[in-house]
């Protein structure tokens, strides 16, 4: 793993930040992302290991980091060498969610999932709506539950965010969504 505070510019972090700015923020898929990025309170952590046990340990390490560092609002764990297959990623996501519960983090942190081949259950792979959760690399987004609750409390009709995102992605169309994601690399 290359620490995100190293002086080396990691290509996976660069692509992920481009995705965050040009897709997530530019198309308002997450109405809270811009403020968090502007405040510089997103931690980008690239994990170059592919062993599931190591990746799970690094997730727990990140929870502990968030426990002690209030300046980090949220972390994007970017898996540069693991979980290329979407089914493998879903298995890992299940392990990660189970581990959060086992380690007492249920209600403290929440995971959001992103993958280059993300496909919602029951959706066709070429449905543009899948691009609301497609990212340059397999990724877990570790969020503070308290921050989510606070943000949602001041946002009108937060339950409509996913519907709005799906509608926008479908309006933009498959070709445009593919183009936007490809431009991040």
């Amino acid at each position: 793993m290359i620490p995100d505070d190293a002086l080396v510019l990691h290509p996976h972090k660069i692509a992920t930040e481009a995705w965050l700015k040009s897709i997530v923020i530019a198309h308002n898929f997450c109405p809270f992302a811009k403020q968090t990025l502007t405040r510089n309170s997103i931690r980008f952590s690239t994990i170059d290991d592919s062993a599931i046990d190591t990746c799970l340990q690094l997730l727990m390490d990140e929870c502990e980091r968030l426990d002690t560092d209030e300046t980090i609002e949220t972390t994007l764990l970017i898996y540069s060498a693991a979980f290329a297959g979407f089914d493998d990623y879903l298995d890992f996501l299940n392990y990660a969610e189970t581990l959060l519960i086992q380690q007492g983090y249920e209600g403290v942190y929440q995971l959001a999932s992103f993958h280059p081949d993300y496909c919602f259950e029951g959706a066709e792979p070429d449905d543009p709506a899948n691009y609301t959760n497609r990212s340059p690399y397999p990724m877990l987004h570790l969020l503070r539950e308290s921050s989510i609750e606070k943000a949602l409390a001041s946002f009108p009709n937060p339950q409509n965010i996913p519907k709005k995102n799906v509608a926008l992605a479908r309006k933009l169309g498959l070709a445009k969504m593919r183009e936007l994601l490809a431009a991040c690399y």
Side-chain angles (χ1 to χ4, degrees):
M1 180 173 107
I2 297 176
D4 65 332
D5 56 348
L7 296 177
V8 177
L9 291 178
H10 202 289
H12 297 89
K13 179 198 181 283
I14 293 168
T16 300
E17 193 166 353
W19 164 77
L20 185 63
K21 290 176 181 176
S22 66
I23 297 177
V24 176
I25 292 172
H27 292 88
N28 204 30
F29 284 143
C30 176
F32 316 109
K34 182 177 182 180
Q35 181 180 7
T36 307
L37 183 67
T38 301
R39 287 194 321 244
N40 199 30
S41 58
I42 300 175
R43 181 171 139 79
F44 297 85
S45 178
T46 301
I47 298 169
D48 295 324
D49 204 301
S50 62
I52 291 174
D53 289 347
T54 303
C55 291
L56 290 171
Q57 180 57 55
L58 292 170
L59 170 63
M60 288 298 97
D61 292 350
E62 197 59 35
C63 288
E64 292 172 10
R65 182 185 312 273
L66 290 173
D67 286 345
T68 60
D69 190 342
E70 296 278 327
T71 66
I72 302 170
E73 185 66 33
T74 188
T75 298
L76 293 171
L77 295 155
I78 307 158
Y79 299 95
S80 64
F83 318 118
F86 187 56
D87 288 337
D88 293 336
Y89 172 79
L90 289 177
D91 289 343
F92 174 69
L93 174 61
N94 186 44
Y95 296 140
E97 289 174 336
T98 299
L99 185 60
L100 283 179
I101 294 167
Q102 290 173 345
Q103 296 299 312
Y105 284 115
E106 183 176 29
V108 178
Y109 301 117
Q110 183 180 114
L111 294 176
S113 57
F114 300 94
H115 190 277
D117 296 323
Y118 199 96
C119 188
F120 289 106
E121 186 174 344
E124 293 295 322
D126 61 352
D127 184 343
N130 294 318
Y131 281 81
T132 64
N133 284 63
R134 287 196 180 171
S135 57
Y137 303 98
M139 188 180 325
L140 290 179
H141 184 186
L142 186 60
L143 302 115
R144 295 177 188 272
E145 286 270 354
S146 60
S147 298
I148 295 169
E149 290 170 7
K150 182 178 174 184
L152 293 178
S154 64
F155 192 83
N157 303 311
Q159 70 278 7
N160 293 334
I161 294 170
K163 292 177 203 169
K164 178 194 76 64
N165 290 348
V166 165
L168 176 58
R170 287 180 176 154
K171 180 181 176 186
L172 291 170
L174 183 60
K176 181 64 174 178
M177 294 306 300
R178 281 182 176 157
E179 174 188 321
L180 288 169
L181 187 57
C184 296
Y185 293 95

